[in-house]
Amino acid sequence: MSDDRNAGSAPEPTVPSSRTVAQLEALCRKYPVPPKTVFVPYQQLGRALETALARRAGLWGSVECVAPAVYARRLADEHGELETEPIRAPGHQLLTRTVVEDLVDTGEIDEIGPPARVAPQFAAAISTLREAGVGPDETKGHVREGLSAFLPVVYQQYVDTLREENLTDQADVYREATAAVKQGLEANRVYAVCSETDLPELALHLVGAAR
């Protein structure tokens, strides 16, 4: 019989390292006045760092620890010119699934398996490429096997659908946020990056523009 005593229990709380908290404290001491943003791998860690900093040094509200995608979305919402709400992960997968189904129906790609199964794989690849600044044309002309053989066609149709339907995704959000920073809209803010944060290319452009 399985032991389900822990079923439904809350996840273990995120505990930031004392070294990272000390580095944040030093950052706040060095820049006591300007607003500060530190990019972290995920939001839960950001909240834990802010709480630990407040408890350790009493520095409530002195620094914002935020995932790059979340910060970019906020900047784009406040200062960008996106006409539509960017699609999020579920919508991104649903759009990719629709693209795959349409391409199969029109005979542009072969039957490659149930769309519900293959769409998440295509969606993940497209997100990675989009946020790395790699366009559909750059994926063409390479010898591939399996699902990757159809990626250039699916990717191109995904981008075409975004434009035709006036939709935006996270890559567009990064670009809008970077443009806002380049206009000086966050000129007085101090930025730092937590060492564990993995930044896609477009997020690096945002950080580079901010510094």
Side-chain angles (χ1 to χ4, degrees):
M1 180 181 295
S2 62
D3 184 353
D4 59 357
R5 287 174 296 177
N6 293 324
S9 60
E12 289 294 323
T14 299
V15 180
S17 70
S18 57
R19 179 172 179 269
T20 301
V21 177
Q23 290 173 335
L24 285 180
E25 183 179 357
L27 179 72
C28 293
R29 301 299 185 196
K30 183 176 181 179
Y31 301 100
V33 177
K36 294 163 282 294
T37 294
V38 176
F39 292 124
V40 297
Y42 52 95
Q43 284 298 102
Q44 186 179 6
L45 175 60
R47 288 191 291 270
L49 282 170
E50 291 176 4
T51 300
L53 185 63
R55 288 175 174 170
R56 170 174 170 147
L59 298 171
W60 287 102
S62 62
V63 62
E64 172 191 39
C65 300
V66 62
V70 174
Y71 180 74
R73 188 176 293 269
R74 190 178 73 221
L75 269 188
D77 287 344
E78 293 176 355
H79 305 299
E81 299 180 357
L82 296 179
E83 297 180 358
T84 58
E85 176 72 14
I87 55 177
R88 300 178 185 270
H92 171 61
Q93 288 193 10
L94 180 60
L95 175 61
T96 306
R97 176 174 175 171
T98 301
V99 166
V100 171
E101 290 173 340
D102 289 346
L103 290 173
V104 171
D105 289 344
T106 58
E108 294 180 65
I109 63 174
D110 300 332
E111 180 66 53
I112 51 179
R117 178 176 62 82
V118 301
Q121 298 176 62
F122 281 122
I126 290 170
S127 286
T128 299
L129 291 168
R130 290 270 296 162
E131 293 177 31
V134 177
D137 288 341
E138 296 174 75
T139 67
K140 299 175 182 177
H142 300 283
V143 177
R144 294 185 175 87
E145 297 180 352
L147 291 181
S148 60
F150 303 101
L151 178 60
V153 177
V154 175
Y155 187 9
Q156 183 63 64
Q157 185 60 39
Y158 171 88
V159 172
D160 291 345
T161 303
L162 283 182
R163 301 301 169 248
E164 292 167 2
E165 301 295 333
N166 195 29
L167 300 173
T168 55
D169 62 7
Q170 186 60 44
D172 296 310
V173 169
Y174 278 129
R175 293 188 178 97
E176 284 293 314
T178 300
V181 170
K182 286 182 177 179
Q183 293 172 15
L185 298 177
E186 297 285 293
N188 296 322
R189 185 172 295 273
V190 174
Y191 291 90
V193 181
C194 181
S195 60
E196 301 172 356
T197 307
D198 183 21
L199 297 175
E201 187 66 24
L202 294 186
L204 285 172
H205 291 175
L206 171 60
V207 174
R211 285 180 163 177

